[in-house]
């Protein structure tokens, strides 16, 4: 799953679509989310490579040598890392609403936040509405359970965008369950720190990926606009780009989880 998201960030409807289609699905809580251990990031900072190692350890624990890797957002970068560094573990790769794992979004974000013109080599920063939301979020109280859930709901609403309806009931159920499942809800913010650490292992050419690759991206993604998905697909030989019209950065639109599940089913169909 993506930044700060536990296993249940993969909606039940999406998982049930895959299981009904004959797939075995493993979803798990990243470190610092859900029921997994929390880390003192200041003392023991971790990287994308560490999160990839966690993923491989989960496969090892289930006795699975190779799997169809599916990652969303930061999870898409984790899946890229595995496919690039451990190709024998990847039957296929599906990266959803993601960006090339070696891309450093920091400078583009900073220029956008300061109102400066983008660099011609930049992939586009988040939408102005999302950047404004980050400013509001910094001033929102997030001490109590109710305040934290309210802040997360506003983030989910902005990430959904306006092109597709926002499934508020599903989003609230997720926000409440994710909060209540976590040992320390604030620890998940460490994912932002890990995601920004552009270590050398992330710079391996994506052209080295041999797994059949599908890149799924929303046309209305406010966090990682469509050029991020286009850039990712362009760097992996033979990768196919599937654009979901109106999709933002998340699965909280009615019918969307099933739609994405069906796309994954088709990509992982045995030859």
């Amino acid at each position: 799953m993506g930044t700060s998201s536990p296993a249940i960030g993969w909606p039940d409807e999406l998982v049930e679509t895959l299981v009904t289609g004959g797939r075995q699905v493993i979803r798990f809580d990243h470190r610092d989310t859900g029921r997994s251990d929390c880390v003192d990031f200041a003392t023991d900072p971790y990287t994308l490579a560490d999160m990839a190692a966690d993923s491989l350890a989960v496969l090892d624990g289930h006795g699975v040598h190779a799997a169809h890797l599916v990652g969303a957002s930061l999870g898409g970068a984790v899946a890229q890392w595995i496919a690039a560094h451990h190709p024998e573990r990847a039957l296929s790769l599906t990266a959803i609403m993601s960006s090339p794992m070696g891309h450093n979004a920091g400078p583009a974000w900073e220029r956008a936040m300061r109102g400066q013109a983008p660099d011609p080599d930049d992939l586009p920063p988040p939408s102005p509405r999302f950047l404004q939301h980050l400013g509001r979020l910094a001033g929102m109280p997030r001490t109590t359970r109710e305040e934290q859930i309210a802040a997360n709901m506003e983030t989910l609403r902005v990430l959904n965008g306006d092109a597709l309806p926002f499934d508020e009931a599903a989003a609230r159920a997720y926000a409440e369950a994710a909060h209540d499942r976590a040992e320390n809800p604030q620890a998940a913010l460490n994912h932002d720190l890990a995601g920004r650490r552009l270590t050398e292992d992330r710079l391996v050419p994506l052209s080295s990926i041999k797994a059949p690759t599908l890149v799924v991206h929303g046309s209305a993604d406010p966090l990682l606009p469509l050029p991020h998905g286009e850039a990712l697909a362009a760097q992996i030989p033979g990768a196919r780009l599937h654009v979901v019209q109106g999709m933002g950065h998340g699965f909280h639109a009615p019918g969307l989880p099933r739609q994405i599940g069906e796309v994954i089913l088709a990509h992982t169909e045995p030859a």
Side-chain angles (χ1 to χ4, degrees):
M1 236 291 123
T3 301
S4 302
S5 299
I8 57 173
W10 294 109
D12 288 347
E13 185 182 12
L14 189 156
V15 174
E16 289 163 2
T17 299
L18 294 172
V19 172
T20 301
R23 308 296 182 269
Q24 179 186 15
V25 178
I26 301 172
R27 57 177 175 176
F28 68 99
D29 293 334
H30 287 297
R31 58 173 71 190
D32 279 330
T33 71
R35 295 171 183 162
S36 288
D37 291 342
C38 294
V39 177
D40 183 342
F41 197 90
T43 302
D44 296 301
Y46 55 88
T47 65
L48 191 75
D50 295 314
M51 299 182 78
D54 292 343
S55 304
L56 292 174
V58 169
L59 289 180
D60 291 342
H62 284 277
V64 177
H65 174 68
H68 297 285
L69 305 176
V70 182
S73 197
L74 179 64
V78 172
Q80 291 170 51
W81 195 100
I82 296 172
H85 289 277
H86 293 280
E88 74 283 359
R89 308 301 299 265
L91 296 177
S92 71
L93 168 63
T94 303
I96 306 170
M97 52 194 177
S98 193
S99 189
M101 69 174 180
H103 170 62
N104 183 4
W109 279 50
E110 292 170 7
R111 281 189 281 272
M113 292 291 283
R114 292 195 295 262
Q116 296 176 344
D119 187 286
D121 295 329
D122 283 345
L123 286 172
S127 69
R129 181 186 177 195
F130 184 80
L131 293 175
Q132 291 166 6
H133 164 69
L134 290 182
R136 292 194 306 271
L137 195 64
M140 292 180 68
R142 284 179 283 176
T143 303
T144 67
R145 174 183 184 273
E146 291 71 23
E147 289 170 346
Q148 290 175 5
I149 290 173
N152 290 339
M153 279 294 294
E154 184 59 24
T155 297
L156 294 174
R157 189 186 307 277
V158 173
L159 287 174
N160 184 76
D162 298 321
L164 295 179
F166 179 57
D167 191 338
E168 183 157 358
R172 181 166 296 279
Y174 163 67
E176 292 176 350
H179 180 279
D180 295 343
R181 182 183 178 89
E183 175 185 335
N184 175 10
Q186 295 305 304
L189 298 177
N190 288 337
H191 287 188
D192 281 327
L193 302 175
R196 292 179 191 147
R197 299 185 69 194
L198 196 62
T199 49
E200 186 175 350
D201 53 274
R202 292 177 63 168
L203 301 179
V204 63
L206 295 181
S207 58
S208 66
I209 293 178
K210 306 302 182 186
T213 299
L214 174 68
V215 176
V216 180
H217 217 94
S219 65
D221 191 321
L223 178 61
L224 297 174
L226 181 56
H228 287 257
E230 294 172 336
L232 175 56
Q235 292 182 34
I236 300 176
R240 182 167 61 91
L241 175 65
H242 179 88
V243 179
V244 181
Q245 293 301 318
M247 176 178 163
H249 197 85
F251 299 123
H252 294 112
L256 188 58
R258 180 171 299 279
Q259 179 183 350
I260 299 302
E262 290 172 349
V263 170
I264 298 169
L265 272 179
H267 179 57
T268 58
E269 187 70 38

